[in-house]
Amino acid sequence: LNTDSIKNVMKENTVFYGPVECFKIFRTKKHNIVQPGFKAEISGISIIAVPAYNIVKNQFHAKEKKWVGYIIIVNGIKIYIAGDTERIPEMASINSDISILPLGQTYTMGSLGEAVLAAVDTKAKVIIPYHYGGGEGTLEDAKKFCSLIKQKGLKCILKQKLASNQEPVH
């Protein structure tokens, strides 16, 4: 949730979807509050909100907040964006083509191994990590994660070249 990024995409007819806390932080003219289980189809793109929470580090992302990750289906391709979460039981019921997962280690996943297990749970063939650098983990952590993912026979996509003054961020 980056308010500057939100301002960059906010147009007169833009509609935002997200948990209630998002709209407490920034104001939008049009928004829909979502919780796990929310479903919508917008311009032929299906959106499903799924749970995102922590089990161990629940002081950061408590299940009671009803925060979400998303499954987005575009042209039959199912993309899972986990959100801020640890590996949770609900991931085992997700069948995605691409999974975008946090590496965290501070606020989300407890370890790179936990993130690898989450990737396997979602049954994706392509994994894209986020939450490394910029306060959580390092680019080296992300490279190690990708190495572990490849050992599972999965493809990992990692942004490796950064601007000289920029740390990798989610």
Side-chain angles (χ1 to χ4, degrees), residues 107-124:
Y107 302 105
T108 57
M109 299 290 176
S111 68
L112 297 179
E114 182 182 347
V116 170
L117 292 173
V120 172
D121 286 347
T122 67
K123 300 161 207 71

Side-chain angles (χ1 to χ4, degrees), residues 17-32:
Y17 292 81
V20 68
E21 282 80 6
C22 291
F23 305 112
K24 290 178 182 176
I25 295 169
F26 64 89
R27 301 283 179 241
T28 61
K29 293 181 181 184
K30 299 177 188 175
H31 64 264
N32 293 298

Side-chain angles (χ1 to χ4, degrees), residues 103-105 112 131-134 136-143 167-168:
L103 296 186
Q105 303 173 69
L112 297 179
H131 270 330
Y132 58 89
E136 283 205 275
T138 65
L139 181 56
E140 289 307 311
D141 289 332
K143 289 178 181 179
E167 283 290 318

Side-chain angles (χ1 to χ4, degrees), residues 7-168:
K7 288 176 188 173
N8 287 335
V9 298
M10 193 180 302
K11 306 291 183 231
E12 185 65 32
N13 61 346
T14 303
V15 179
F16 289 88
Y17 292 81
V20 68
E21 282 80 6
C22 291
F23 305 112
K24 290 178 182 176
I25 295 169
F26 64 89
R27 301 283 179 241
T28 61
K29 293 181 181 184
K30 299 177 188 175
H31 64 264
N32 293 298
I33 295 171
V34 303
Q35 296 181 24
F38 170 88
K39 295 180 181 182
E41 184 160 325
I42 303 161
S43 300
I45 298 170
S46 296
I47 301 169
I48 304 163
V50 295
Y53 61 91
N54 289 0
I55 297 168
V56 176
K57 303 173 191 179
N58 61 5
Q59 74 272 27
F60 299 120
H61 307 106
K63 187 174 185 177
E64 299 78 38
K65 295 278 191 176
K66 297 183 180 178
W67 290 341
V68 297
Y70 296 94
I71 297 172
I72 299 172
I73 305 169
V74 180
N75 294 329
I77 297 171
K78 193 180 286 188
I79 304 163
Y80 170 51
I81 305 166
D84 283 354
T85 187
E86 292 174 350
R87 179 182 180 222
I88 57 175
E90 292 87 346
M91 289 177 177
S93 65
I94 293 171
N95 294 300
S96 62
D97 298 300
I98 301 168
S99 286
I100 304 173
L101 299 169
L103 296 186
Q105 303 173 69
T106 302
Y107 302 105
T108 57
M109 299 290 176
S111 68
L112 297 179
E114 182 182 347
V116 170
L117 292 173
V120 172
D121 286 347
T122 67
K123 300 161 207 71
K125 299 291 182 230
V126 177
I127 312 298
I128 302 170
Y130 64 95
H131 270 330
Y132 58 89
E136 283 205 275
T138 65
L139 181 56
E140 289 307 311
D141 289 332
K143 289 178 181 179
K144 182 175 181 183
F145 170 79
C146 283
S147 175
L148 294 168
I149 285 296
K150 289 175 185 173
Q151 290 174 20
K152 299 286 184 186
L154 307 174
K155 182 176 182 176
C156 187
I157 298 175
L158 178 65
K159 181 177 180 180
Q160 295 196 35
K161 184 167 175 87
L162 305 166
S164 60
N165 63 346
Q166 180 187 12
E167 283 290 318

